[in-house]
Amino acid sequence: MLCCRKNALGTAAYCNIFLNFILILICCYIIFYWVRGMFEQRSYCGELTLNDVGTLVRLAGWVDTKRDLGGIIFIEMRDVTGIIQVVFDASKNSSAYEKADKVKSEYCIFITGEVAKRSEDTVNPNLKTGMIEIIGQDISILSESEVPPFPIDTYTNLNEEVRLKYRYLDLRRADMQQAIIVRHNVMQAIRRYLADNRFIEVETPILNKSTPEGARDFLVPSRINRGMFYALPQSPQLFKQILMISGFDRYFQIAKCFRDEDLRNDRQPEFTQVDLEMSFVNPRMVMDIIEGLLKEIVLQVLGKEIATPFPVLTYDEVMQRYGKDAPDTRFGLELTDVSDIFTGSSFNVFKSALENSGIIKAIVVNDEGKISRAMIDEYINYVRAFKAMGLPSVRYTGSGFETGIAKFLSDSEKQKLVDRLQLNSNSLIIFSCDKPKIVNDAL
């Protein structure tokens, strides 16, 4: 009897477990099909236009702002494409209005409604969707939100540590999302262009042995080989050379690289680069590929045409005109060699430099008299870091030379400077005289 009772109790328990399991499966089945139908044919907030007026749409996103005017609730709903206004009117749909009344800023919601044209006096010219709104018919709260640590629409006076701590909130900002979308579009344009030009995208290993590069390696300890380390790649240099001698004559990769070096504006420990390699080419072919790539990126991402081929400067020319091999040509301020003008100069600073195989260069700053003597002294102190002894200067007023070294210049030298430097307005001429490298670095 005792055994039978135990078996009976065990059978009943098993039956209850089985029934509960079946019930759970049925609930999951119902939820699955409800959710699947819920998100099918979903529209995006920023993509709706006047052409969609009268259309029933489904939207999913976050509450950007909410305004309750007593009987009418306006919710500005945000997703990755933009913002659109949703209206809930208690007199037309009390059930939806009551649900909308419960939402708060940054709640994640799903709404169903009809696209309607706004009246002329309610058009918002600051929104891409400012000509239309959604007449809400139903709303579901997918996820509630606590009060955010900072308003999503705040762009100033916000601590960067706070932004990074709550990065998932920071990335809800329109400008942050736009930056990531632009980056995505750039990468897609790169891939399309290079693939169309016979390049093959190859992913190279991240964990590898250390190779001699320009910076220190990031090291990863090996669990299997105790006391040994992997090195994260500073560049895929060796791998792409292997590909070249393997017969893949055009390779590219949008590669992650790692360099353990101090932070600077153009140096980060982890960065992404467009890495490519070509075989059986000459310099002009390489330049054509890069120019075409940049032209395609600007066209596809910004919709603008840029002229090609780009201006080409030789190394000697760029060092002569700008004093560095990577100049920013937008600012002008080209260096002009005036050594020949002062070959017979009585000014000891210029004379000594030329006698010691040095050169004299000048830059013209069209400042209309704004640069003071104190500012020039600051420039002089700054260039001492480049081993320059000083920066002789003179001001051209439009009719003659004044201040600085004007008294040391002969009339002939002054006229030659006017002609060589094309002086025609109130300008400051700054000279440097020393060995070529020092002069170029200083100016």
Side-chain angles (χ1 to χ4, degrees):
M1 289 292 294
L2 184 60
C3 292
C4 292
R5 185 172 297 168
K6 284 184 178 180
N7 289 337
L9 289 174
T11 302
Y14 283 126
C15 287
N16 286 334
I17 293 173
F18 180 73
L19 290 174
N20 288 334
F21 178 70
I22 295 297
L23 183 61
I24 291 171
L25 283 180
I26 293 172
C27 290
C28 290
Y29 181 83
I30 293 172
I31 292 172
F32 171 76
Y33 278 93
W34 175 70
V35 170
R36 190 179 73 167
M38 182 180 186
F39 295 118
E40 284 181 352
Q41 299 179 342
R42 171 195 163 203
S43 300
Y44 283 84
C45 298
E47 295 179 352
L48 297 175
T49 66
L50 286 171
N51 295 330
D52 298 302
V53 170
T55 304
L56 187 68
V57 296
R58 297 171 173 177
L59 301 173
W62 286 263
V63 176
D64 194 67
T65 59
K66 173 189 172 185
R67 290 174 290 128
D68 190 343
L69 302 185
I72 298 180
I73 292 176
F74 295 92
I75 293 177
E76 290 196 345
M77 186 174 177
R78 182 186 68 244
D79 66 14
V80 73
T81 62
I83 293 175
I84 195 166
Q85 179 172 279
V86 186
V87 182
F88 293 93
D89 190 337
S91 64
K92 296 180 179 179
N93 192 328
S94 60
S95 174
Y97 175 87
E98 289 174 2
K99 292 180 182 178
D101 190 44
K102 297 177 182 178
V103 307
K104 297 179 181 178
S105 177
E106 295 309 312
Y107 272 34
C108 185
I109 60 174
F110 181 85
I111 72 103
T112 302
E114 183 178 329
V115 181
K117 183 179 179 180
R118 293 197 194 189
S119 59
E120 293 295 332
D121 58 332
T122 61
V123 168
N124 185 350
N126 298 319
L127 278 182
K128 184 170 65 172
T129 59
M131 298 289 291
I132 58 175
E133 61 189 11
I134 307 297
I135 306 301
Q137 297 181 2
D138 191 21
I139 180 170
S140 300
I141 298 175
L142 302 180
S143 177
E144 296 182 355
S145 172
E146 297 178 358
V147 176
F150 54 86
I152 303 301
D153 58 355
T154 297
Y155 292 93
T156 57
N157 301 323
L158 186 58
N159 187 289
E160 189 165 325
E161 290 184 6
V162 175
R163 291 179 58 190
L164 293 174
K165 181 178 179 179
Y166 299 98
R167 188 62 165 170
Y168 55 91
L169 296 179
D170 188 47
L171 291 178
R172 292 184 187 179
R173 300 162 178 265
D175 58 338
M176 297 298 297
Q177 291 190 347
Q178 185 60 27
I180 291 177
I181 292 170
V182 168
R183 176 185 171 93
H184 161 77
N185 292 335
V186 168
M187 295 172 76
Q188 296 309 306
I190 290 170
R191 286 190 165 97
R192 284 192 297 267
Y193 173 84
L194 292 177
D196 289 344
N197 281 275
R198 306 183 70 92
F199 283 82
I200 298 173
E201 183 173 8
V202 180
E203 291 185 3
T204 55
I206 293 294
L207 295 176
N208 190 39
K209 66 181 294 185
S210 180
T211 58
E213 295 279 356
R216 292 180 293 273
D217 289 319
F218 279 108
L219 300 178
V220 180
S222 171
R223 180 182 61 84
I224 298 174
N225 302 292
R226 296 176 65 87
M228 303 187 73
F229 299 83
Y230 298 103
L232 301 182
Q234 296 187 38
S235 79
Q237 184 66 39
L238 294 181
F239 295 114
K240 63 185 180 183
Q241 290 175 343
I242 290 173
L243 288 171
M244 292 303 103
I245 61 176
S246 299
F248 296 92
D249 63 326
R250 292 194 175 193
Y251 139 91
F252 87 95
Q253 179 183 187
I254 300 177
K256 276 285 188 183
C257 300
F258 308 86
R259 295 181 181 178
D260 185 7
E261 56 186 1
D262 296 335
L263 291 174
R264 284 178 283 172
N265 287 339
D266 59 347
R267 291 288 186 274
Q268 302 293 328
E270 175 185 343
F271 59 95
T272 304
Q273 68 181 28
V274 179
D275 192 76
L276 55 86
E277 190 78 16
M278 303 166 64
S279 295
F280 312 117
V281 290
N282 57 41
R284 184 66 257 176
M285 292 169 66
V286 176
M287 287 189 282
D288 287 343
I289 285 291
I290 300 302
E291 288 177 2
L293 174 59
L294 295 175
K295 182 175 182 178
E296 183 68 12
I297 291 172
V298 173
L299 177 62
Q300 295 298 324
V301 178
L302 301 179
K304 297 181 179 180
E305 288 274 2
I306 57 175
T308 53
F310 298 159
V312 176
L313 299 173
T314 65
Y315 177 81
D316 290 339
E317 183 181 3
V318 80
M319 293 301 293
Q320 174 72 16
R321 291 173 55 184
Y322 298 100
K324 58 187 299 186
D325 60 358
D328 189 334
T329 59
R330 296 173 297 175
F331 300 109
L333 294 180
E334 291 191 27
L335 315 186
T336 303
D337 194 324
V338 293
S339 303
D340 58 310
I341 295 178
F342 296 104
T343 51
S345 176
S346 60
F347 183 40
N348 287 334
V349 175
F350 286 171
K351 182 179 179 180
S352 174
L354 294 176
E355 287 176 352
N356 288 282
S357 302
I359 61 172
I360 304 170
K361 284 187 176 182
I363 59 172
V364 180
V365 183
N366 298 314
D367 67 329
E368 297 297 331
K370 296 177 181 177
I371 297 180
S372 65
R373 180 66 226 181
M375 295 170 68
I376 295 174
D377 289 339
E378 290 181 9
Y379 300 153
I380 292 173
N381 290 332
Y382 175 75
V383 299
R384 294 191 193 284
F386 304 100
K387 300 182 180 180
M389 299 304 294
L391 291 174
S393 63
V394 65
R395 179 166 295 283
Y396 180 74
T397 63
S399 58
F401 290 85
E402 296 179 357
T403 69
I405 63 170
K407 62 183 179 181
F408 299 108
L409 304 181
S410 67
D411 291 341
S412 173
E413 291 169 345
K414 291 177 180 178
Q415 186 57 49
K416 289 179 180 178
L417 283 176
V418 171
D419 296 338
R420 178 76 57 83
L421 303 177
Q422 299 181 0
L423 302 175
N424 53 29
S425 62
N426 192 348
S427 307
L428 181 68
I429 300 96
I430 300 177
F431 300 91
S432 182
C433 53
D434 212 309
K435 299 297 182 183
K437 184 178 187 318
I438 295 176
V439 169
N440 289 334
D441 290 345
L443 292 180

